[in-house]
Amino acid sequence: MASAEIDLATLNESQQLALQTYTSVTNQEPAASIPLLERSQWNVQIAIAKFFDGEAADPVAEAQASFSNVPSLQQTSRRETLLNGSPVSSSSGSDPDIDPAPRIVPQPEGQVTYQPPFVFAIFLTPFNLLLRFFTRSVGILGYLLPFLPRLFPSLLSSTSSQSPRRDTTGRRPLNPRDTAARFMREFEEEYGGHSLRFFENGYAQALDVAKRDLNFLLVVLLSPEHDDTSSFVRETLLSPEVVSYVNDPRNNIILWAGSVQDSEAYQVSNALRCTKFPFTAIIVQTAQYPSTAMSVVARITGPMPPTAFLAKLQAAVTQHSGSLERARTARAEQQASRSLREEQNSAYERSLAQDRERARQRKEAEAAKARVGLQARQKLEAKEKRAVDLLLWKQWRAQSIPEDPSANTNDIVRISVRMPSGERVVRKFAPETKMEVLYAFVECYDILQTTSDATTHTAPQSESFSHEYGFRLVSPMPRTVYEANTKGSLKEILGRSGNLIVEPIDEGADEEEE
């Protein structure tokens, strides 16, 4: 329970990266992965090797148990060495028939012997002969003069290590997939067509698939040089009842076979403690060893009738099918729980994203509303300021509008103006009066009406205010528009009298017309 309560935030960056790599390879829960990584000093490669091969027993714990004479189940562990991949066995457990199944990794493809082209090989032939002569000479000198290896150990060891180890069978080493394809081709050429479904890859890959899918792995090792190989294959392995049982998907059997003439199959035979050919082993995940280890639950050695072979195979499968089914159920529940958590996390993330989007939209709406309110206030303030400035301008302009000519003046221009309110105003002007003065009279008419003596009042004009007339003076018959900047005097433009109408300028309509 302590492992499940570990907070991932307490792990540093390298530990979190190791945990992520381990869980992606093994498909294990973080709570179950952290203890194994801690026992492996957070080394991902060691932890993955322990997951597939099983953990070795603690030597300190074994020494304490043997010293106290307390009976305990000692686990058997086989570790693959870095040089030759041979397993190292510890003390056997209480059940001698069940051993951990090691994961054999054959020689990498990059280390396979490379054969140069023929022309290049001819070019290198003198150098190869010279190298062989030198190597043999050093070897002979080392044999005749025993003190030389002590004086030049590095030289003699390097020359001896450079001598390649040849394959006496003449078979070219290949990668696991090609080796499996070669074995199936040779098997079909030797024994004819068959319906057995061999696993088309290496032993390590077959072991990984069986562990991942919780299936039985049936390993068949053959030796072409053995006398009983042909009869075993033809009479037992290819018998209809054995083929039908192995191919039945309800039995969950993965069949991997190999010839001990190949390096991989030979290493597998040593790891599985093969003592006699033909050899068959049944590997499955059991409860005797850690839940992450695969175990050899049965070994079938030597030739035997198909009925006896099938009986042993069925007995092993039946014995461990129950535990395997429980493991499948537990894994399905674990996967369902993980899927449920992922769905909940995904739903939470979607809900959080929706909340963030709604908050963003709400903030944008509030900002837009604030902008609209600010613009409305600014327009209102500008309108109020313009009204004040217009009033000041009217008061200032009304002071410069000339008064009506006296009654005894003969040369006058009589203008009749119809205001927007419908009121008709008649005003007399001097003949030389400009059209702008008539516009100013119409604009300041309300000021002139309320002020008895406009010349006695002074009103300051706003310097930032630029006045524009918001109306036009139009002659109805014929329709003629007179602008404020029309050149000439009123007498020249209108004659001695005129009848004009004040038409307000609609700025919106003017913009639409433009």
Side-chain angles (χ1 to χ4, degrees), residues 417-435:
V417 180
R418 184 177 180 180
M419 296 295 183
S421 62
E423 179 184 1
R424 183 170 294 277
V425 178
V426 179
R427 182 69 155 78
K428 299 175 183 179
F429 295 93
E432 66 277 6
T433 304
K434 301 295 183 181
M435 181 62 69

Side-chain angles (χ1 to χ4, degrees), residues 77-97:
S77 172
R78 297 177 181 267
R79 298 187 184 89
E80 179 186 349
T81 61
L82 189 60
L83 294 176
N84 54 13
S86 60
V88 179
S89 301
S90 64
S91 58
S92 59
S94 58
D95 191 349
D97 295 332

Side-chain angles (χ1 to χ4, degrees), residues 27-103:
N27 197 24
Q28 294 291 303
E29 290 290 337
S33 303
I34 290 177
L36 182 57
L37 285 169
E38 289 177 347
R39 293 194 297 271
S40 304
Q41 301 299 322
W42 292 97
N43 189 312
V44 181
Q45 296 180 354
I46 296 177
I48 293 175
K50 288 183 178 180
F51 175 81
F52 287 107
D53 298 342
E55 293 189 63
D58 189 1
V60 178
E62 291 182 358
Q64 293 178 352
S66 60
F67 180 76
S68 57
N69 295 324
V70 177
S72 60
L73 180 62
Q74 299 178 354
Q75 300 179 355
T76 304
S77 172
R78 297 177 181 267
R79 298 187 184 89
E80 179 186 349
T81 61
L82 189 60
L83 294 176
N84 54 13
S86 60
V88 179
S89 301
S90 64
S91 58
S92 59
S94 58
D95 191 349
D97 295 332
I98 298 180
D99 296 324
R103 186 176 185 269

Side-chain angles (χ1 to χ4, degrees), residues 213-230:
D213 299 338
L214 293 175
N215 291 335
F216 291 93
L217 177 60
L218 183 63
V219 178
V220 178
L221 298 176
L222 303 176
S223 176
E225 300 176 355
H226 201 277
D227 297 336
D228 297 327
T229 299
S230 178

Side-chain angles (χ1 to χ4, degrees), residues 133-153 155-157 159-160:
F133 176 75
F134 176 74
T135 303
R136 292 183 179 180
S137 300
V138 172
I140 294 174
L141 289 177
Y143 177 77
L144 297 177
L145 304 175
F147 61 88
L148 285 180
R150 301 178 183 177
L151 297 177
F152 308 100
L155 177 62
L156 295 178
S157 61
T159 55
S160 61

Side-chain angles (χ1 to χ4, degrees), residues 419-482:
M419 296 295 183
S421 62
E423 179 184 1
R424 183 170 294 277
V425 178
V426 179
R427 182 69 155 78
K428 299 175 183 179
F429 295 93
E432 66 277 6
T433 304
K434 301 295 183 181
M435 181 62 69
E436 194 276 334
V437 176
L438 179 57
Y439 265 82
F441 170 77
V442 175
E443 183 76 12
C444 302
Y445 179 73
D446 55 343
I447 301 298
L448 296 174
Q449 290 295 106
T450 57
T451 305
S452 58
D453 189 4
T455 59
T456 60
H457 294 82
T458 58
Q461 181 186 7
S462 176
E463 296 180 355
S464 61
F465 178 73
S466 176
H467 180 267
E468 294 180 0
Y469 292 103
F471 59 90
R472 298 189 186 97
L473 295 179
V474 181
S475 176
M477 299 292 293
R479 178 177 173 81
T480 306
V481 177
Y482 302 100

